[in-house]
Every structure is written in structure tokens, then in C-alpha cells.
Amino acid sequence: MQTPYHIRSIHLEFWNSGLVGLFSGRRPPFASARLIELPPSLLLLLLFAPFKCSNTPSIAELKFPILNRSPQHQCALHLARIELMARLEAAALLLAAAAAALLATAAEGLGVNWGTQASHPLPPKVVVQLLKDNGINKVKLFETNPEAMKALAGSGVEVMLAIPNDMLHRIAGDSAAARDWVKRNVKRFDFDGGVVIKYVAVGNEPFLAAYKGSFMKVTLPALENIQNALNDAGVGDRIKATVPLNADVYNSPARNPVPSAGRFRAEISGVMTDMVKFLAKNKAPFTVNIYPFLSLYLDDNFPLDFAFFDGGATPVNDNGVMYTNVYDANFDTLVAALAAVGHGDMPIIVGEVGWPTDGDRHAKASYARRFYDGLLKRLAANRGTPARPNRHIETYLFGVVDEDRKSVQPGSFERHWGIFRYDGQPKFAMDLSGQGRNTMLVPAKGVQYLSRTWCALNPKASRDDLNKLLGAKIDYACSNADCTTLGYGSSCNGMDARGNASYAFNAYYQTQSQEDEACDFQGLALPTQTDPSTATCNFTIQIATSGAAAATQLGVAPAAAALLVALLQLSLL
């Protein structure tokens, strides 16, 4: 069915389309009428005029119903109103489906990382709906959480499952443990209408230099056991095991620091070569995490513009190939390292890439927007890199939401990687289609918050108590809550001592779900209904995790009604 809609009039094509049941088996009297044009005035009359139906008019009597107020014509208008409302609602649902399909197409192939290290994580159903509402059809997990898997079942979202590093020793040394893991975490959810599992991530950056070789001897055996278990379970042809690796597993020599000279790190070259051969044998991809932000964070002399994609940096000349950003240079260094071990054509997945928005002077929303705008345009255009031009790169953004329980050992920015805030609200304009539009992401639906109550420094606290207790109480609060936004270069840096104390007390209070005893600190703090936020520093209200999933979907009828109103407004323009 095609129903043409125009700005100043609505054309409806009427015919018998299953509405017979509404008329006790009688065919609607207007069922054979064609292309009835309804101007806005008649449209509103049909929808809202209180006509009653007592008789069935003939089709001939329907030519000019507005001019004839006989009972037959009143009946005609009443029936036409029923038909019109039904068709408008159907059209609204079709428009909604078309819009969703368009969005999904725009974000095709784009994934996100879903971490859950938060004091008040969003309910899984809310997160999955958030992904779908934004057309994100791939997700990478860091553990196989049963509730997340249940929420993903039937969603159509492709999933990369994960085995944490602390399980690698057991799975590496026991093939039966690998088979059991596959049975409980893959086969259990792998059915029609279940979870669309695409990959299994074996560990997470296990060769990170900071781990000092802790997982050197177990990562490859664990990978082999998991892929073999997938093969034995009959799913190895469509579910591949891979190892997400940090970009520090490869580098270029200091004497020739260009991408084409890329090689795997000397101390892991042997195991990396064997891993690549195993991945190639099983037609599995190489997965790497690339973070241009970290290049900037770790080196004060790193050129700022080289971290972005807008061409402002002095290029790096690699034998005539010009690199204008560190992302391309990093990726192609890996391509060269793979080629050096005989697999330069191996598929590469970018398992993590992103930009934090707080916790460091370079971690801010304006830079994040600049970075994502450039990255998404390149991904949408399948631009590839100089070593792999015009190629699609499967990419997972890092991450969905901020996580206030992540370790800050690498830096305070670790808790602020989300493209959404902790509560599923977008942080900045971001066009996942890669068209560069100034548009906001769709926020999470059905999120419920704790009461609008903050915890702040007690204005009546004595100077003596402040001098003796305040430092220790702030330390306690920040040791048990997230105060990373107070650091140098962060969004809440620059407040006075009272502001810092209030922020710390409120962070702890919200983390403790606003328990009464959590806002006392030996009389130094008091609850308040006055928001202490400043122009640059947001004092949060935490979400009520137990009730946040209460309204994860807009019902079909309300959604149709909302679109119907929009159509009516459109007709009156």
C-alpha cells in the first residue's frame, strides 16, 4: 500500500483492506472510492466531529458529505473517520519503521563497546534499546553477563562475547573448560531468536606492556582451545575467536619511525607470529585497539592536530606516502607488521577507538566531537587508510556510557569514555551516519532517577571542625566515589575548597543511593534540594537502577499516536 502525503492536503487511497470485521461483516460503503483528497479542514472534521452512524449510505451519496447533513451522510463521515484514523495510524507505523531502517542503514557496520563498571549501571534492556534507537547494530562486551545476553536476545544486534584475562590460565590449560565455556556462553544463546554472536574475544589486551608478560604463555593456548571448542560445537564457521590487542604490540624502529617499517614488538614477536598464523588458518580477524588520545596524553610534545582527521597537522612522509593523522599511521604500522609475517591481507577489526570527555586537559567534549566527526565521515565513506585504501573497517567505538568504577591507574579520563553520560544522555552532537550533521544521539528511554536531592558542605560547620576534619572526609568520599572531574584540566577544576568539598560529598552520597547516613561526615554535610552545580561543573543525581527498566519501550499505540499528531501538524503547515 502506498499512501501519498502532501504538505497542504492528504491523499488517501481507500479500498477493502481488512476493515470488514469492524462493520459486522458488511463491506465498508466507501471501500471502492479512489484517491479521495482531504484538505486540512475536512481532515480535522473527520477526526473530531461527533457524527453518529445509524444507516449505511450508498457510494453515490458520498460525493459531497460536507454539504449534506442527513443521517446517511453523518454515517458516512463517521465511517470515513474510522477508516482515516486506521490508515493514518498504519502509515505512521510504516514511517516509524522506515525511519528506523534508514538510521540502521546509516550506522551499518558500526559497533560500540559496552562496559558495566559503574556503581549504578543502566539496566541491560535500556542499553539495548539505546543501541537500537541509534541504529547501532554491533556491540562488544567485556564479560558474558546473563542479563545483558537476555536483553540482546532477539534484538538483531551482533555481539562480540568476551573472556576476561583472569580466565585465560584455566582455559589455556584445560580444553574441557573451553568446551564448557562455549556450551554455557555461546550454545546457550545461539538459536533462532536468540543472540547473534559473531566473535569471542579471548582476553583483553593481554600483552599490554604494563602486565609484564603475565599472560604471555596462556593467551595463544586459550585462543586455540576456544576456537577448537567453537569448531567442535558446529559454530566455528560463523563464530570466530580473536584477541583484542593494544596497539603497543607493534611499533616502528627508532631509526625508521614510519608505518611501512612496522614490526611486532621484539619480545612477543614469536607468539604474535604464531597467533597470526592460527587466526589466518581459521579465517578469523586480527583485533586491535587504537587510541589517538593516548598518543597525545602520553607525550607533551605530540602535535595536537595529528590526533585528529581534519588535515591541520604536518604530514609524516613514508617514502612518498603522506600521513596526516596518527590513526592511519598506527593502523598501517599494523598492516606492515602483519605483512612481515606473511599475512598482510588479514582482516583487521578496530576493537576500541574513542575520545574521553573529562579527566584531563585534552579530554573534553569539543575534542571528542572533533575526533568522532572526522572518524565517522571516513568510516561512512569506506575511505580506508593509505595501505588499505577504499576499504571498510569494522569498528567499535569506546564506549557506550561513562563508568564511574573503572580503574584510574592509566588516568582519570578512564571513567569518561562514553559517547553517552552515565544515564544514557548524549554528551555532544554526533552523527553516526558520517554525514557531519549537527544532530544529537537519541537518549536512553525509561531512565528513572533518585530524588532531586544533593549533599553539600554544611554552611554552619565550625571553622575548627573544617580545619580538623575536612581533608580526611574529602579523601574518604573520593576514595569511595568518582571525583575525577575535580582534577587539573577537568570540568570541575577551579572551584574553591567549599565547592570541592560539596562535590566530593555529593559524589559519595549519590554512589550510596542517597542513604541518609551517607550525607553527614560528622556534621560537615547536609542534604539540600538546591542544585549546587555551576556553569561548568555538574553535580549529578544518580539513577535508580532498580526502576530504570520500567519503561524501556514506547508502546505501539502511543508511538503511533505521537506520529499521528506529527502528521496532523504537518498537514496544517
Side-chain angles (χ1 to χ4, degrees):
M1 179 182 73
Q2 291 186 345
T3 304
Y5 286 91
H6 300 290
I7 295 298
R8 293 193 173 275
S9 64
I10 294 181
H11 297 274
L12 297 173
E13 189 169 2
F14 292 154
W15 64 90
N16 190 354
S17 61
L19 293 176
V20 174
L22 295 176
F23 301 94
S24 302
R26 292 179 297 158
R27 187 170 179 267
F30 46 82
S32 61
R34 308 288 291 179
L35 291 176
I36 301 174
E37 183 172 309
L38 300 176
S41 58
L42 177 55
L43 173 67
L44 293 177
L45 183 62
L46 285 174
L47 287 175
F48 302 113
F51 295 124
K52 298 180 180 179
C53 185
S54 56
N55 296 293
T56 303
S58 66
I59 290 183
E61 293 173 318
L62 290 174
K63 292 180 180 178
F64 302 102
I66 298 302
L67 303 178
N68 190 329
R69 295 307 180 95
S70 67
Q72 289 82 5
H73 296 103
Q74 293 182 21
C75 176
L77 289 172
H78 177 72
L79 296 177
R81 178 171 57 191
I82 293 175
E83 172 89 359
L84 174 62
M85 292 182 71
R87 292 198 179 281
L88 281 177
E89 181 166 329
L93 290 174
L94 287 174
L95 285 175
L102 179 61
L103 182 60
T105 300
E108 184 179 0
L110 187 66
V112 293
N113 286 265
W114 178 5
T116 57
Q117 296 184 56
S119 62
H120 291 65
L122 282 173
K125 288 185 178 180
V126 172
V127 175
V128 172
Q129 189 63 46
L130 179 66
L131 300 179
K132 294 174 65 177
D133 287 344
N134 286 282
I136 298 171
N137 59 10
K138 297 176 184 286
V139 68
K140 177 172 168 281
L141 306 178
F142 292 94
E143 58 184 354
T144 308
N145 181 292
E147 293 304 312
M149 295 296 282
K150 290 177 184 177
L152 286 163
S155 69
V157 176
E158 290 185 1
V159 179
M160 182 185 291
L161 301 182
I163 299 173
N165 288 343
D166 60 11
M167 293 183 63
L168 294 181
H169 283 85
R170 178 168 175 259
I171 289 177
D174 186 355
S175 58
R179 290 192 296 270
D180 182 63
W181 189 94
V182 168
K183 178 181 178 182
R184 289 184 293 105
N185 297 282
V186 177
K187 292 294 291 181
R188 175 184 173 188
F189 299 100
D190 182 46
F191 56 88
D192 288 342
V195 181
V196 183
I197 302 170
K198 187 80 175 290
Y199 305 107
V200 175
V202 181
N204 183 49
E205 300 183 337
F207 297 156
L208 199 66
Y211 291 148
K212 299 180 180 179
S214 299
F215 306 105
M216 189 77 67
K217 296 181 179 180
V218 296
T219 300
L220 179 56
L223 173 69
E224 293 171 338
N225 283 346
I226 288 295
Q227 185 63 64
N228 291 337
L230 291 169
N231 296 342
D232 292 344
V235 297
D237 58 332
R238 55 185 173 85
I239 302 177
K240 302 297 182 180
T242 184
V243 180
L245 293 161
N246 188 277
D248 73 348
V249 299
Y250 52 86
N251 54 35
S252 297
R255 67 181 183 279
N256 189 25
V258 293
S260 62
R263 298 294 185 271
F264 289 116
R265 233 170 53 215
E267 69 272 23
I268 60 171
S269 178
V271 68
M272 285 304 305
T273 300
D274 291 342
M275 180 182 293
V276 169
K277 290 180 179 178
F278 182 80
L279 292 172
K281 176 183 175 182
N282 286 276
K283 299 180 180 179
F286 191 103
T287 303
V288 63
N289 301 337
I290 299 177
Y291 284 108
F293 167 81
L294 293 180
S295 298
L296 192 63
Y297 175 76
L298 295 171
D299 184 356
D300 289 338
N301 296 316
F302 190 87
L304 174 66
D305 290 338
F306 201 61
F308 300 97
F309 299 94
D310 36 26
T314 301
V316 171
N317 188 339
D318 183 0
N319 298 313
V321 178
M322 308 303 287
Y323 285 89
T324 59
N325 65 83
V326 68
Y327 177 89
D328 282 354
N330 193 314
F331 189 97
D332 284 357
T333 303
L334 170 59
V335 173
L338 289 171
V341 296
H343 293 280
D345 59 346
M346 172 167 282
I348 297 174
I349 292 175
V350 177
E352 297 178 19
V353 61
W355 198 282
T357 56
D358 216 332
D360 181 72
R361 63 191 179 98
H362 293 306
K364 48 188 178 181
S366 60
Y367 281 178
R369 181 178 180 181
R370 179 184 175 187
F371 177 79
Y372 280 121
D373 185 60
L375 175 68
L376 293 169
K377 287 178 181 178
R378 295 164 60 87
L379 294 177
N382 290 329
R383 182 173 172 180
T385 66
R388 290 188 176 182
N390 306 315
R391 298 274 290 271
H392 169 72
I393 301 175
E394 186 171 351
T395 302
Y396 294 80
L397 307 183
F398 190 85
V400 180
V401 294
D402 288 345
E403 301 170 72
D404 65 353
R405 290 296 199 197
K406 285 197 71 178
S407 169
V408 294
Q409 184 175 359
S412 294
F413 54 83
E414 278 295 321
R415 294 177 175 175
H416 305 281
W417 285 103
I419 57 176
F420 294 93
R421 297 187 341 144
Y422 71 100
D423 56 356
Q425 298 301 306
K427 295 179 178 181
F428 49 86
M430 186 177 188
D431 181 9
L432 294 177
S433 74
Q435 303 306 307
R437 298 172 300 179
N438 185 27
T439 183
M440 298 296 288
L441 298 175
V442 179
K445 296 185 178 74
V447 179
Q448 296 183 6
Y449 296 83
L450 301 175
S451 68
R452 283 185 57 82
T453 305
W454 294 263
C455 183
L457 185 69
N458 184 353
K460 297 182 179 179
S462 70
R463 181 177 297 274
D464 186 53
D465 284 344
L466 291 175
N467 290 335
K468 289 191 301 183
L469 301 173
L470 187 58
K473 297 306 177 185
I474 291 176
D475 286 344
Y476 177 82
C478 291
S479 295
N480 293 278
D482 180 28
C483 295
T484 53
T485 57
L486 292 175
Y488 171 70
S490 301
S491 61
C492 295
N493 181 246
M495 293 191 296
D496 61 18
R498 288 181 174 271
N500 290 341
S502 291
Y503 187 92
F505 292 162
N506 183 67
Y508 179 81
Y509 180 59
Q510 302 298 333
T511 299
Q512 299 299 316
S513 300
Q514 297 185 358
E515 294 289 339
D516 290 342
E517 60 271 20
C519 185
D520 180 65
F521 294 96
Q522 291 186 254
L524 295 183
L526 282 176
T528 178
Q529 277 70 52
T530 301
D531 186 354
S533 299
T534 70
T536 59
C537 181
N538 179 46
F539 284 57
T540 61
I541 296 289
Q542 260 298 354
I543 63 175
T545 54
S546 61
T552 59
Q553 285 187 322
L554 185 64
V556 172
L563 280 168
L564 179 59
V565 170
L567 287 172
L568 288 175
Q569 292 172 336
L570 183 64
S571 72
L572 294 173
L573 291 177

